[in-house]
Amino acid sequence: MSEFWHDAGCSFHPVSAPDYLPIDQLRALQLHRLQVITKRAYDNVELYRKSMDDRGVKPEDIKGLEDIQKLPFTTKADLRDNYPFGLFASPMNEVVRVHASSGTTGKPTVVAYTHEDIDVWSSVMVRSFAACDLGAGDIIQNAYGYGLFTGGLGAHYGAEALGATVIPISGGNTDRQIMIMQDFQVTAICCTPSYFLHLIERAGEKGVDIRKLPIRAGVFGAEPWTEAMRQRIEPLADIKAYDIYGLSEIVGPGVANECREQAGPHLFEDHFYPEIIDPETCRALPDGEEGELVITTLSKKAMPLLRYRTRDITTLLPDPCACGRTIRRMKRVSRRSDDMFIIRGVNVFPSQVETALLEVEGTLPHYQIVLTRVRDLDQIEVQVEVTPEVFSDTVGAMEDVRKKLGLAIEHTIGIRVKLTLVQPHTIQRSEGKAKRVIDNRKM
Ligand code: DLL
């Protein structure tokens, strides 16, 4: 790989070439890989052999991409039921790495990689960074957690393969992050958007203005965040905030990433075949319609997954992107089908509350939703920090914000919520994924 692809007159990083494949070539490549991976899964993973036999489907039945619908879905429960190594398709002596994601209940889900899998992962991370206009010469502060979580090592290998300088600082220790960011002249950071907000805030307290530092890009993901949140983050740090999407079951970070148009992440669909289904009926939906994202890993050796139900709600965007990439984009994932909560019969997603409250001036992007049950009646309280000016101003300013917020939220979700305006720093900050909803109803 040349580090000097700009100088050679190439308009994109060589590793990004598949981003620009003519559609017919892309589809042919996907079909070929789907046939190979279906056979690999059938031959090596008992779960798939059984479920395909039950459906009367053989790998040879995959003759076109639409035949993917003949294949069974895979769910997180399948991973849990086959804990820890039951879905591996490679012998252990070819598995060079495992990662695990902490489940909300009981055992984690385990994922595996061969050397080739790690190479593919690095390549999609290179494509992710390149899409954010990062390259050799950039100094990337990698504040995703290193360890069983895929964020740290995934971004690390990708940034090295890109030819950038990686600072493997991992998550946490915010004061040190700020010192390193200044002293090492960092140009890009990788972390969750909520952690970056915390970092900006802490820097402000220490008298450091991140806008004056060389940092120009943030590669933010691992948790849902809204467009309204991007609008808050970018001017605070004078950077471009890019959305990176991924999940451990499929590879980790690098399943999809935004380009400079910032108009929804491009899916690296030569490796991860996307479908959108209706989560209730499991019926496939066309591009442009919203539903649950289902992904088939087209090249994973150690742990191929067929039609994995991500639970993430999005839309595949049919329109071509101005950047010229041919791989499809998806709308940013702002919600999961399982983070929805039902309050007095109304379905609510935390992202709806986030969008509504960030519309109102005087609020800070730190909030939490607390659900309780009082005498069989569900109560919803939104706690949100307001600026010191609002907080220390007359009662009038607080009342004004409260009124606007109440209306904005009621307008978005259709019900009235209890609002608690709190002073800055009241809501707990996270070093990784933020916890937005505290559900105290489950007793
Ligand atoms: O969060 C992998 C990752 C690391 C992605 C670093 C991006 C950056 P898991 O811990 O398995 O893996 O969590 C995956 O997080 O199904 C989504 O619900 C959510 N998620 C990840 N990225 C985004 C994003 C990593 N950009 C789960 N927007 C996924 C919204 C995201 N949700």
Side-chain angles (χ1 to χ4, degrees):
M1 186 205 326
S2 163
E3 285 164 25
F4 304 107
W5 53 279
H6 274 126
D7 303 346
C10 188
S11 60
F12 53 80
H13 193 290
V15 175
S16 299
D19 294 10
Y20 301 91
L21 271 180
I23 291 291
D24 50 345
Q25 282 181 38
L26 177 61
R27 298 285 172 257
L29 178 67
Q30 287 173 322
L31 176 59
H32 172 70
R33 287 184 173 165
L34 178 64
Q35 290 166 330
V36 172
I37 210 72
T38 306
K39 182 156 170 46
R40 183 174 182 86
Y42 184 84
D43 289 347
N44 297 287
V45 184
E46 202 188 333
L47 172 82
Y48 287 126
R49 197 165 42 252
K50 273 203 182 133
S51 56
M52 284 174 62
D53 283 348
D54 284 351
R55 293 171 152 241
V57 187
K58 292 271 175 278
E60 307 76 71
D61 295 333
I62 305 297
K63 298 199 167 71
L65 278 171
E66 63 289 353
D67 291 327
I68 196 168
Q69 290 180 30
K70 296 178 178 159
L71 297 175
F73 290 109
T74 312
T75 63
K76 204 173 182 79
D78 292 322
L79 271 74
R80 238 180 266 130
D81 294 346
N82 290 281
Y83 174 85
F85 302 153
L87 296 185
F88 290 10
S90 297
M92 229 35 206
N93 61 3
E94 287 173 17
V95 173
V96 298
R97 172 106 60 88
V98 291
H99 279 282
S101 75
S102 48
T104 35
T105 48
K107 303 273 192 198
T109 44
V110 180
V111 294
Y113 306 77
T114 63
H115 268 304
E116 276 174 278
D117 293 336
I118 298 280
D119 287 348
V120 168
W121 189 12
S122 302
S123 76
V124 287
M125 281 306 300
V126 169
R127 290 160 68 181
S128 299
F129 287 130
C132 307
D133 280 331
L134 297 170
D138 274 300
I139 301 178
I140 301 182
Q141 180 162 346
N142 184 15
Y144 283 123
Y146 282 63
L148 285 178
F149 175 56
T150 51
L153 284 172
H156 182 103
Y157 273 55
E160 275 190 0
L162 180 76
T165 307
V166 196
I167 305 169
I169 191 162
S170 194
N173 204 338
T174 310
D175 284 0
R176 193 166 54 148
Q177 301 263 3
I178 295 162
M179 180 185 75
I180 299 272
M181 185 181 282
Q182 286 178 290
D183 295 350
F184 293 10
Q185 300 281 292
V186 164
T187 58
I189 188 163
C190 305
C191 60
T192 58
S194 57
Y195 185 59
F196 188 65
L197 275 170
H198 175 43
L199 213 139
I200 305 175
E201 180 182 57
R202 181 76 190 125
E205 286 166 12
K206 293 166 67 77
V208 178
D209 184 350
I210 293 196
R211 289 172 299 189
K212 302 217 168 88
L213 302 182
I215 183 164
R216 63 185 170 85
V219 188
F220 300 132
E223 65 184 10
W225 56 305
T226 57
E227 192 54 39
M229 187 64 96
R230 171 163 33 218
Q231 300 308 328
R232 289 287 180 109
I233 291 177
E234 288 193 332
L236 282 174
D238 193 19
I239 59 164
K240 279 189 90 168
Y242 297 97
D243 190 14
I244 182 166
Y245 169 81
L247 59 165
S248 7
E249 293 86 337
I250 297 305
V251 76
V255 172
N257 202 97
E258 278 185 329
C259 65
R260 67 175 67 151
E261 301 293 328
Q262 296 178 296
H266 285 274
L267 277 149
F268 299 112
E269 56 172 319
D270 49 321
H271 292 299
F272 315 115
Y273 189 79
E275 295 172 88
I276 297 289
I277 62 162
D278 176 330
E280 302 298 324
T281 62
C282 294
R283 196 171 54 88
L285 297 174
D287 285 7
E289 279 191 35
E290 184 182 84
E292 179 181 339
L293 178 66
V294 168
I295 301 178
T296 298
T297 60
L298 292 179
S299 42
K300 258 286 196 83
K301 290 273 177 342
M303 205 175 117
L305 291 185
L306 303 181
R307 308 191 82 198
Y308 183 69
R309 293 192 57 174
T310 66
R311 301 279 165 196
D312 292 324
I313 303 294
T314 185
T315 306
L316 292 179
L317 299 170
D319 303 332
C321 181
C323 75
R325 283 178 176 76
T326 50
I327 50 173
R328 275 172 291 180
R329 285 168 301 140
M330 61 188 210
K331 273 199 187 151
R332 65 192 306 137
V333 171
S334 58
R335 55 200 179 95
R336 291 176 55 82
S337 60
D338 50 10
D339 73 3
M340 183 187 84
F341 54 86
I342 301 180
I343 187 100
R344 288 177 238 142
V346 179
N347 298 351
V348 181
F349 289 95
S351 58
Q352 294 176 297
V353 176
E354 177 174 307
T355 303
L357 64 88
L358 294 185
E359 271 172 12
V360 176
E361 233 173 278
T363 56
L364 293 172
H366 303 283
Y367 68 96
Q368 207 155 47
I369 301 165
V370 183
L371 306 176
T372 46
R373 186 167 291 152
V374 181
R375 275 180 256 111
D376 286 340
L377 195 63
D378 288 347
Q379 311 284 339
I380 171 171
E381 177 188 358
V382 177
Q383 301 172 346
V384 56
E385 291 182 9
V386 289
T387 60
E389 295 74 42
V390 169
F391 200 79
S392 59
D393 201 5
T394 55
V395 182
M398 285 278 268
E399 272 320 301
D400 188 44
V401 171
R402 188 193 304 281
K403 208 167 150 196
K404 285 185 182 147
L405 264 180
L407 282 174
I409 295 178
E410 190 178 341
H411 182 71
T412 313
I413 65 174
I415 48 173
R416 204 166 287 177
V417 304
K418 178 177 174 211
L419 268 171
T420 307
L421 307 188
V422 294
Q423 55 182 322
H425 305 295
T426 312
I427 289 162
Q428 203 185 348
R429 306 292 188 254
S430 77
E431 290 176 358
K433 298 176 190 256
K435 190 161 172 47
R436 301 295 189 194
V437 183
I438 314 277
D439 194 346
N440 292 328
R441 295 176 301 178
K442 296 168 196 142
M443 277 141 218

